[in-house]
C-alpha cells in the first residue's frame, strides 16, 4: 500500500512532474483541492467563506457553528480516509502533517530556487492563455 505526500513551493513543480511521479509509483493523484471541495460541499459554503474562516477572519463559524478546530478535524478525517485506500500521491502540506506519525507514509517536499520558480510561473501564465 503506497501512500506518498507531496508538498511543493509555488512554481517548483508542474503537472508533468506530478503525473510522471504518480505513474512511476503506480499511484493515483489526489490534490488538496479535493479536501477543500468536500468541506465546502458539507458546509454548503463558498470558497471565499472557507478561506476567510481558515485565516480567522470570518463570522461564518457562527453561521455554520464550525470552529477552525472543527474545520481542521474534518480535513484530517478526509485525508486519513483517502490515505487508508492506499496507492495514492496526495499533494497537500496538510496531508504531510496529518500523516507524519504513520511510518509507511513517505512525505516529499520539493523546493526550487526563486528564479526557477518565477520563470516557471511566468512561463505558465503566458502559455495557458
Amino acid at each position: 500500500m503506497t501512500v506518498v505526500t507531496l508538498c511543493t513551493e509555488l512554481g517548483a513543480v508542474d503537472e508533468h512532474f506530478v503525473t510522471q511521479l504518480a505513474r512511476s509509483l503506480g499511484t493515483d493523484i489526489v490534490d488538496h483541492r479535493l479536501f477543500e471541495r468536500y468541506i465546502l460541499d458539507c458546509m454548503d459554503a463558498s470558497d471565499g467563506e472557507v478561506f476567510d474562516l481558515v485565516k480567522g477572519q470570518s463570522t461564518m463559524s457562527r453561521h455554520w457553528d464550525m470552529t477552525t478546530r472543527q474545520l481542521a478535524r474534518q480535513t484530517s478525517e478526509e485525508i486519513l480516509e483517502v490515505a487508508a485506500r492506499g496507492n495514492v500521491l496526495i499533494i497537500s502540506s496538510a496531508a504531510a502533517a496529518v500523516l507524519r506519525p504513520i511510518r509507511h507514509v513517505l512525505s516529499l517536499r520539493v523546493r526550487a530556487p526563486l528564479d526557477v520558480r518565477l520563470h516557471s510561473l511566468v512561463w505558465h501564465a503566458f502559455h495557458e492563455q
Side-chain angles (χ1 to χ4, degrees):
M1 178 168 90
T2 302
V3 178
V4 177
T5 65
L6 178 65
C7 306
T8 67
E9 293 179 328
L10 185 62
V13 300
D14 59 11
E15 266 186 57
H16 179 71
F17 172 85
V18 173
T19 303
Q20 292 293 22
L21 178 60
R23 184 176 293 139
S24 68
L25 294 170
T27 62
D28 294 326
I29 300 169
V30 174
D31 190 270
H32 65 92
R33 291 171 285 207
L34 174 79
F35 306 119
E36 295 165 3
R37 177 57 36 209
Y38 175 80
I39 291 167
L40 289 172
D41 291 344
C42 287
M43 295 172 57
D44 193 31
S46 72
D47 293 338
E49 288 172 314
V50 170
F51 183 70
D52 288 345
L53 175 62
V54 170
K55 291 190 322 183
Q57 300 175 346
S58 177
T59 59
M60 164 179 144
S61 58
R62 276 185 258 135
H63 182 74
W64 276 279
D65 199 26
M66 179 179 266
T67 65
T68 303
R69 181 177 291 220
Q70 290 167 322
L71 178 63
R73 178 176 291 155
Q74 184 68 41
T75 303
S76 297
E77 288 174 7
E78 288 306 306
I79 290 168
L80 289 167
E81 187 175 310
V82 167
R85 290 185 288 209
N87 295 325
V88 65
L89 170 63
I90 305 173
I91 305 167
S92 165
S93 55
V98 169
L99 300 173
R100 183 173 290 131
I102 302 173
R103 296 178 74 118
H104 70 274
V105 174
L106 174 64
S107 292
L108 305 174
R109 178 167 176 84
V110 179
R111 301 182 72 190
L114 180 59
D115 60 329
V116 171
R117 293 185 293 133
L118 288 173
H119 177 22
S120 174
L121 292 171
V122 169
W123 189 89
H124 284 291
F126 284 107
H127 289 87
E128 289 183 0
Q129 295 178 358

